[in-house]
Amino acid sequence: MARRDVEFDAEGVTLRGWFYTAEGASGPAPTVVMAHGFSAVKEMYLDAFAEVFAAAGLNALVYDNRNFGASDGEPRQEIDPWAQIRDYRHAITYAGTLAETDASRIGVWGSSYSGGHVLVVAAIDRRVKAVVSQVPLVSGHDNVRALVRADFLAGFREMFDNDRLARFHGDPPAMVPVVDADPLAPSALPTADSYTWFTETGKTRAPSWRNEVTLRSVELFTEYEPVTYLPYISPTPLLLMPALGDHLTPSELAIAAFDLAHEPKKLSILPGGHFDAYVDGFDVSSGPARDWFVEHLAP
């Protein structure tokens, strides 16, 4: 499996990652652009997906989001969904400059938070010729209300407001854990399976992952509504893959959002929970994604 380190400019911020060369390609080949979800870094199984795509004759460009992992950007550990969307588009531009890439056959893949990003990118960037969205966030408004008790929401808003005032006065951004062993403790992703997956995967595969994000990242999460872009993806082919037992980005939200998209589209409901798509259910999630890209990016 041929893989090389790459870096590219995203309007003044250097993003770094890997480029996987399509196996068996004798000339420019389709390329899948990939980035990870909320706070995750590329070592958290994106290499496994890229290897599946490369084995099927697809190049894969995998990179760390700005402010995370190997990529530059400040403030560190801050997630701005719209900045990440713009970076997907910078990555598409960069991929198109590579000799290995057929710029007329580029797809985007995203998972969880970036599963929402690719819905937006596919709707607004017609260079995208196929999109796969795995266990996606589709509505920050609805998702936060599925994760956070109603009587806790006012406390979060007070924290956001206090942080905004502190930043105005020049203080560094407030930080919050991504996950916590106690689901009722303040954290960005307050589910038990989030804690297990991030802590275990961080130890075994991704020592650069840090269990913190800026509090503003959580505020931006609550304002983010990829669902509004679903009707505009067509005629780009869309594969949406929610997980049946997902309670981090609840499957019922994604399934309802799928109804807003127009053809061509396909709904593939994965077994298991949110994080099974990366581990125990990897073959079930990576196989349909690979087949979708092969079908719609083939010559």
Side-chain angles (χ1 to χ4, degrees):
M1 188 71 60
R3 181 183 99 179
R4 67 177 184 268
D5 293 340
V6 295
E7 63 179 45
F8 57 94
D9 177 65
E11 292 184 331
V13 173
T14 299
L15 305 183
R16 298 184 179 88
W18 303 314
F19 186 82
Y20 288 78
T21 305
E23 289 189 9
S26 57
T31 298
V32 179
V33 174
M34 310 169 59
H36 222 318
F38 195 95
S39 89
V41 293
K42 63 187 182 300
E43 290 82 4
M44 292 170 136
Y45 296 101
L46 289 199
D47 48 349
F49 285 93
E51 289 169 3
V52 168
F53 298 157
L58 305 161
N59 300 315
L61 173 61
V62 182
Y63 65 94
D64 278 329
N65 288 304
R66 66 173 56 214
N67 310 336
F68 288 85
S71 290
D72 291 347
E74 298 287 343
R76 299 305 290 175
Q77 304 300 116
E78 179 152 289
I79 306 168
D80 181 337
W82 290 101
Q84 293 186 351
I85 287 165
R86 289 193 294 273
D87 288 342
Y88 258 100
R89 304 184 76 185
H90 295 314
I92 291 168
T93 300
Y94 168 68
T97 70
L98 301 176
E100 297 95 335
T101 295
D102 179 344
S104 69
R105 294 186 287 157
I106 289 179
V108 291
W109 178 98
S111 186
S112 194
Y113 210 33
S114 67
H117 299 349
V118 295
L119 299 175
V120 180
V121 172
I124 62 180
D125 196 322
R126 289 299 158 196
R127 295 175 297 175
V128 175
K129 297 302 189 290
V131 53
V132 174
S133 174
Q134 173 180 285
V135 294
L137 169 92
V138 294
S139 168
H141 180 277
D142 291 342
N143 213 117
V144 75
R145 282 156 179 78
L147 291 175
V148 179
R149 279 175 30 181
D151 55 331
F152 287 2
L153 288 173
F156 270 104
R157 291 194 192 97
E158 185 177 1
M159 291 169 63
F160 297 154
D161 293 343
N162 291 340
D163 178 51
R164 192 174 289 276
L165 182 60
R167 285 178 123 162
F168 177 81
H169 288 302
D171 292 344
M175 308 299 289
V176 64
V178 178
V179 293
D180 194 283
D182 178 4
L184 295 180
S187 69
L189 306 178
T191 67
D193 58 344
S194 298
Y195 177 79
T196 299
W197 186 82
F198 273 101
T199 54
E200 290 183 356
T201 307
K203 287 177 189 173
T204 59
R205 295 179 62 98
S208 69
W209 179 76
R210 289 165 51 187
N211 186 21
E212 63 175 2
V213 291
T214 64
L215 180 62
R216 182 170 178 260
S217 301
V218 182
E219 182 179 24
L220 291 169
F221 167 92
T222 69
E223 302 167 0
Y224 180 42
E225 297 294 314
V227 65
T228 60
Y229 286 83
L230 263 295
Y232 313 136
I233 294 173
S234 177
T236 303
L238 164 66
L239 174 61
L240 192 72
M241 297 196 296
L244 189 61
D246 194 337
H247 47 259
L248 180 62
T249 57
S251 57
E252 62 267 25
L253 298 180
I255 293 168
F258 180 76
D259 289 342
L260 300 175
H262 305 301
E263 298 289 347
K265 63 178 181 177
K266 182 178 180 180
L267 181 68
S268 179
I269 300 177
L270 304 175
H274 186 86
F275 297 99
D276 288 317
Y278 307 104
V279 191
D280 294 339
F282 173 75
D283 291 343
V284 182
S285 60
S286 62
R290 172 201 62 213
D291 296 345
W292 190 256
F293 285 131
V294 169
E295 176 184 355
H296 294 287
L297 300 179

